[in-house]
Amino acid sequence: MHSREMDDFRKISEHDNVAIALRVLQPETKLSIDGADITINNTIGFGHKFALSNIKRGELIIKYGETIGRATEDIKRGDHVHTHNLVSMRGRRIA
Amino acid sequence: MNELRGYWNEDNKPGIRNSVAVLPLSVFSGTAALNISNAVEGTTLLLHTHGRAEIGLNRERFHTNIVNQILNPNVQSALLVGYEHKTTERYLSEIRSKTKKRVESIVVLDRGTIDSVADGTKIAMELSSAASEVTREPMSVSDLCIGIKCGSTDATSGIASNPAVGSAIDNVISQGGTAIFSETTEIMGAERVLAKRAKNGEVAKKIVDAVKKNEEYAMSLGVDLMGVNPVPDNIEGGISTIEEKSLGAILKSGTSIIQDVLGFGEIPAEKGLYFMDSPSAAQEVLTALTSAGCHLILFSTGMGNPSGTPISPVIKVTGNRHTVKRIPEHIDVDVSGMIFEEMTRTEAGKRVYQYVIKVVNGKRTRAEILKHREFSPVPVGL
């Protein structure tokens, strides 16, 4: 069964390449976003982010339509996006 | 009923609380101040561990935070509990030159802690008796100054509680009121979005420069903000980077024009929305906001931060329904309906605004009831 956006997740800006889980999403959960299907790959906690597209290492992560950091590894559509694969570009010795 | 009523003080400004402040000027007079405050109903204790041998910027910040607390409209009168004579006289004469409120002092080294408690209790009793005669009279929204803070942020803050607070702030500003948001580190990554709302190019530059200065300071210490901010409760709540935290955080300031950038604890000269250049730890920001004259603070939280101030009520707003269930005693306003689109930003903003009016008129916030009175006049964080 496909999930409905307002209950299960939120994409804040049309430019975003991540969305927020509004309930715990289990692996294999299928979502429909902007007419395309996404399968969740990991457990995504409440409020946590998952990728809406494949994102290559070094590419920017966009939320609120603005840059929130850079991918530190290749991220697949449906992957959990958090501190293990996303790094800040501000206030760092090595940006 | 949206009529507001406040306690007009000797400076001809309305407070929404009617406190007799008992303020130690140094760590060593804290014990006497504590005992005096415990003995006298109607007093508010501003306990801290500073006031000795601070240097440079911290000395200035301590001075501003001590003097300005007494100028806050919620304070009706004050007893300064000094440690030694010279500093106490200096504070007393400076504060008296800035306010017509009754301000008294005692000096612990002059007579010892025991007699200071006895004599201070007699003074505080008279101040409390006089303050209790003041009654609430009409005031307007344009008299209000509201501080804005977020703390223990999670991913719901950026999509529910911050936009809800921002909507209420827009309402207050549109009626001629004043509001102050701060936390320089927590606009990092969002400063150019904010700069577009500055009154003019000069103010826009001040906003961008404040962040740049903070970032350079962190670098000069050889520290990495990663691992410091976002803090662990943010990360658990789904916030990965400072940019993500900042872009959500600025939504609590609403959409109004930013009039100017204030220094730490500085009182705004005019009405409207201001940004204060400050560190970001809650207890330090709350102290600086009461120093700047805020009557109350709208505090957006995801995970359920409990903090309060001795001077001004703090209203907690959350968009996290789990937090509402888990620790209801930390939450005043629940806007979790926004997450599931059961409530719009405007509706949530109205709910927050109506709560503000109730608190102005005397309703106690959770932090007031639980006696959260954190006071931190010397910031240590970034």
Side-chain angles (χ1 to χ4, degrees):
Chain A
M1 199 186 88
H2 283 197
S3 298
R4 289 189 308 133
E5 165 157 4
M6 72 174 64
D7 292 336
D8 295 334
F9 65 92
R10 175 83 60 85
K11 179 183 175 185
I12 296 173
S13 159
E14 56 174 325
H15 305 293
D16 293 357
N17 55 10
V18 290
I20 310 167
L22 298 182
R23 64 172 177 85
V24 179
L25 298 175
Q26 300 298 343
E28 306 304 322
T29 304
K30 291 194 187 334
L31 308 172
S32 177
I33 301 181
D34 301 335
D37 291 345
I38 292 186
T39 304
I40 295 296
N41 300 325
N42 327 95
T43 303
I44 316 288
F46 177 77
H48 285 238
K49 297 177 288 299
F50 58 91
L52 296 175
S53 57
N54 292 326
I55 301 166
K56 284 203 161 45
R57 179 170 183 269
E59 284 182 355
L60 302 179
I61 310 289
I62 310 293
K63 181 182 168 188
Y64 300 104
E66 301 281 338
T67 303
I68 63 165
R70 197 194 295 273
T72 56
E73 57 187 51
D74 290 348
I75 299 173
K76 283 203 269 315
R77 220 162 115 86
D79 280 358
H80 186 207
V81 177
H82 201 19
T83 50
H84 62 289
N85 55 11
L86 158 61
V87 71
S88 169
M89 291 156 66
R90 300 294 301 271
R92 310 208 57 213
R93 278 172 293 173
I94 308 151
Chain B
M1 258 306 269
N2 273 358
E3 196 193 348
L4 281 67
R5 298 171 77 87
Y7 300 97
W8 290 78
N9 59 44
E10 294 296 325
D11 293 334
N12 200 28
K13 285 180 180 158
I16 66 165
R17 295 295 182 266
N18 190 32
S19 300
V20 175
V22 176
L23 175 58
L25 297 179
S26 127
V27 56
F28 304 125
S29 52
T31 298
L34 171 71
N35 284 308
I36 292 165
S37 182
N38 279 341
V40 182
E41 177 65 26
T43 59
T44 300
L45 175 69
L46 291 94
L47 194 61
H48 61 84
T49 55
H50 304 285
R52 294 288 281 179
E54 279 88 15
I55 57 166
L57 186 59
N58 278 351
R59 191 181 179 84
E60 284 172 37
R61 285 166 159 179
F62 176 79
H63 179 262
T64 304
N65 271 327
I66 292 295
V67 171
N68 286 7
Q69 297 299 325
I70 308 304
L71 306 183
N72 185 295
N74 291 345
V75 171
Q76 188 64 235
S77 59
L79 172 63
L80 308 179
V81 184
Y83 176 58
E84 41 79 23
H85 189 74
K86 199 171 167 188
T87 306
T88 309
E89 272 305 310
R90 192 160 48 79
Y91 273 106
L92 185 66
S93 62
E94 181 181 347
I95 293 169
R96 281 182 171 165
S97 76
K98 291 178 172 171
T99 177
K100 296 193 183 85
K101 296 173 192 175
R102 194 167 158 201
V103 182
E104 303 295 344
S105 72
I106 51 163
V107 177
V108 167
L109 266 189
D110 278 0
R111 58 190 100 186
T113 295
I114 294 173
D115 283 351
S116 294
V117 171
D119 295 347
T121 299
K122 289 175 193 165
I123 298 169
M125 190 178 81
E126 294 309 324
L127 295 176
S128 177
S129 177
S132 68
E133 282 189 42
V134 181
T135 55
R136 286 186 182 268
E137 302 291 340
M139 62 181 281
S140 74
V141 175
S142 65
D143 294 317
L144 274 181
C145 180
I146 297 184
I148 317 165
K149 171 81 185 99
C150 56
S152 298
T153 291
D154 69 10
T156 65
S157 304
I159 53 175
S161 51
N162 286 340
V165 166
S167 170
I169 292 297
D170 284 347
N171 188 353
V172 169
I173 298 295
S174 73
Q175 294 181 68
T178 303
I180 306 170
F181 69 112
S182 66
E183 304 163 76
T184 307
T185 304
E186 297 184 9
I187 65 168
M188 187 183 288
E191 68 269 38
R192 292 189 191 279
V193 181
L194 275 183
K196 288 179 193 153
R197 280 168 46 204
K199 188 175 76 174
N200 54 38
E202 187 197 343
V203 174
K205 187 173 183 305
K206 279 190 198 176
I207 292 170
V208 173
D209 285 352
V211 176
K212 198 173 158 200
K213 187 190 69 187
N214 235 17
E215 206 166 7
E216 285 170 358
Y217 177 66
M219 304 292 163
S220 76
L221 294 178
V223 298
D224 201 326
L225 278 179
M226 281 289 287
V228 175
N229 202 338
V231 293
D233 41 334
N234 302 150
I235 292 171
E236 194 188 324
I239 305 288
S240 310
T241 65
I242 188 64
E243 297 95 313
E244 181 181 11
K245 188 171 168 178
S246 297
L247 288 161
I250 62 168
L251 301 176
K252 69 184 184 290
S253 70
T255 58
S256 305
I257 290 168
I258 300 166
Q259 300 297 325
D260 206 350
V261 175
L262 301 172
F264 189 74
E266 183 184 347
I267 301 167
E270 305 284 339
K271 293 180 186 296
L273 179 68
Y274 289 81
F275 174 73
M276 179 190 286
D277 182 14
S278 86
S280 55
Q283 71 283 7
E284 297 166 2
V285 174
L286 293 181
T287 297
L289 289 173
T290 55
S291 179
C294 293
H295 290 93
L296 64 90
I297 288 112
L298 274 175
F299 193 122
S300 160
T301 185
M303 304 296 272
N305 187 300
S307 57
T309 90
I311 299 284
S312 302
V314 178
I315 300 172
K316 304 289 168 22
V317 182
T318 193
N320 188 327
R321 61 177 179 174
H322 304 299
T323 299
V324 175
K325 276 194 198 132
R326 195 165 47 86
I327 34 178
E329 73 267 32
H330 292 184
I331 303 302
D332 295 284
V333 187
D334 173 6
V335 294
S336 61
M338 278 182 85
I339 301 283
F340 306 101
E341 300 187 353
E342 297 159 2
M343 191 191 271
T344 64
R345 175 182 181 270
T346 308
E347 286 162 357
K350 203 171 278 177
R351 181 177 289 199
V352 173
Y353 179 81
Q354 282 162 353
Y355 205 91
V356 166
I357 301 303
K358 282 186 189 171
V359 169
V360 165
N361 286 332
K363 181 178 175 66
R364 291 195 182 103
T365 66
R366 303 288 199 180
E368 280 183 295
I369 292 166
L370 295 179
K371 298 187 177 182
H372 269 282
R373 293 171 183 168
E374 287 79 46
F375 180 61
S376 187
V378 180
V380 291
L382 189 67

